[in-house]
Amino acid sequence: MSENDVAGERPESLVFRVGYALAPKKVQSFIQPSLVNHARERGIDLVPIDLHKPLVEQGPFDCVIHKMYGEDWRKQLADFSIQNPNAAIIDPLDAVLRLHNRVSMLEVFNDLKISSESEEDLAIPKQVSVPDSSVSLSGALAREGLMFPVMAKPLIADGSADSHHMFLVFNEEGLNGLKPPIVLQEFVNHGGVLFKVYVAGRHVQCVKRPSLPNISDDNFPASHNLLPFSQISNLTAQDKNSASFAKLMDDETEMPPLSFLTKVASELRHGLKLHLFNFDMIRDTRVGNLYLVIDINYFPGYAKMPSYESMLTEFFLDIAHMRKSDELPFQAWGIGSNDHKPA
């Protein structure tokens, strides 16, 4: 990237300029040379946004992608949107923040209408939120009809280290080791396989990942009350690293139908008003065609996905095309209000 590019001069060969506002760690993982070069070959210029300077003083940008938070950033996006009404902002901050709460992130499923030519069904696990220590954990479980074992997750899912401290709870004694605010979620045996479904606009790709093993009295003795996910991973690491487990992941675990995943992704995209996210999905081993969405993440680690460069470049090209034809959904413009959509 040349000095003139950063200064705002647009080379004639580039047709769409995307500014990215990301934390340094995210830049390192996402803005790979392979992505920059591939996008550039297709007429997409990826330009870093200086987080130490006002956004309105930078550019020009046809599109801004970001994973930043806080009131100062909200104001910067609002000011930029007012001065640049034709620039697409991906995504509206209020919609992103909805995914920072493990209750509100799944509430979207109350309004989804998933229909498929196949026989796949979609649901979310039973769960209950416990906001503070004044609420009895065992009482909350009883009200929702949840049975042990259950998963305990922090209510806040903002990407911080604390938001990843999760546990499997096997009995009431295990509940004593938990500290609200938390979400208690039913544990569903799913064959130790997690489906991570990446979404970038209309583009959808699914990959398989090792997950928690099926729970039974044989592999988790009654002496366990509460186990952190990290400890469970250590207990099963030998199995996960074995050739037989790799074969199970690669050959025996059937991927969900792409038509089903595309429909779910489309419904979520419109329900959440987001373009860049992934959702974690498991298959209930008791009901072979029932899939459960257990988590949704904004702007995930796309670089972990095979050929992510092509998927993201095609997404940027879609935004460029829709921007020129004024077809972009309102939620991608400005801060999430129809007032910010260009006339």
Side-chain angles (χ1 to χ4, degrees), residues 68-235:
M68 305 299 297
Y69 313 109
E71 289 307 311
D72 177 69
W73 181 244
R74 181 190 297 275
K75 184 177 185 305
Q76 289 203 52
L77 286 177
D79 292 344
F80 179 86
S81 184
I82 291 171
Q83 294 193 26
N84 301 272
N86 291 326
I89 295 180
I90 310 293
D91 276 302
L93 192 56
D94 286 340
V96 173
L97 292 177
R98 178 178 184 175
L99 299 188
H100 284 192
N101 182 295
R102 284 196 165 91
V103 173
S104 63
M105 76 164 57
L106 297 183
E107 285 177 344
V108 65
F109 285 89
N110 295 332
D111 302 319
L112 293 191
K113 294 180 174 61
I114 305 298
S115 61
S116 175
E117 295 180 357
S118 58
E119 298 180 354
E120 286 71 30
D121 292 323
L122 186 74
I124 58 175
K126 291 182 181 179
Q127 66 177 29
V128 59
S129 172
V130 182
D132 54 58
S133 56
S134 67
V135 178
S136 165
L137 297 182
S138 58
L141 288 178
R143 285 194 301 273
E144 294 298 320
L146 288 170
M147 307 291 291
F148 293 109
V150 295
M151 303 171 73
K153 304 178 178 181
L155 177 63
I156 303 303
D158 58 1
S160 65
D162 288 345
S163 68
H164 295 294
H165 289 167
M166 305 180 190
F167 300 87
L168 262 179
V169 188
F170 295 92
N171 49 46
E172 290 207 19
E173 188 173 344
L175 294 175
N176 297 330
L178 301 176
K179 183 179 179 181
I182 59 173
V183 170
L184 299 174
Q185 188 180 86
E186 70 172 329
F187 178 83
V188 176
N189 282 336
H190 52 281
V193 177
L194 176 74
F195 301 103
K196 296 192 76 71
V197 185
Y198 292 89
V199 181
R202 64 184 177 90
H203 305 279
V204 180
Q205 185 169 339
C206 180
V207 297
K208 292 182 286 190
R209 292 285 184 266
S211 182
L212 299 180
N214 288 346
I215 302 300
S216 69
D217 293 337
D218 295 334
N219 61 0
F220 282 94
S223 59
H224 290 295
N225 299 319
L226 179 71
L227 280 177
F229 278 22
S230 58
Q231 188 173 346
I232 298 168
S233 298
N234 291 335
L235 288 172

Side-chain angles (χ1 to χ4, degrees), residues 317-330:
L317 289 171
D318 287 346
I319 298 297
H321 172 76
M322 288 187 288
R323 176 182 176 273
K324 290 179 180 178
S325 59
D326 194 24
E327 296 175 357
L328 201 64
F330 78 88

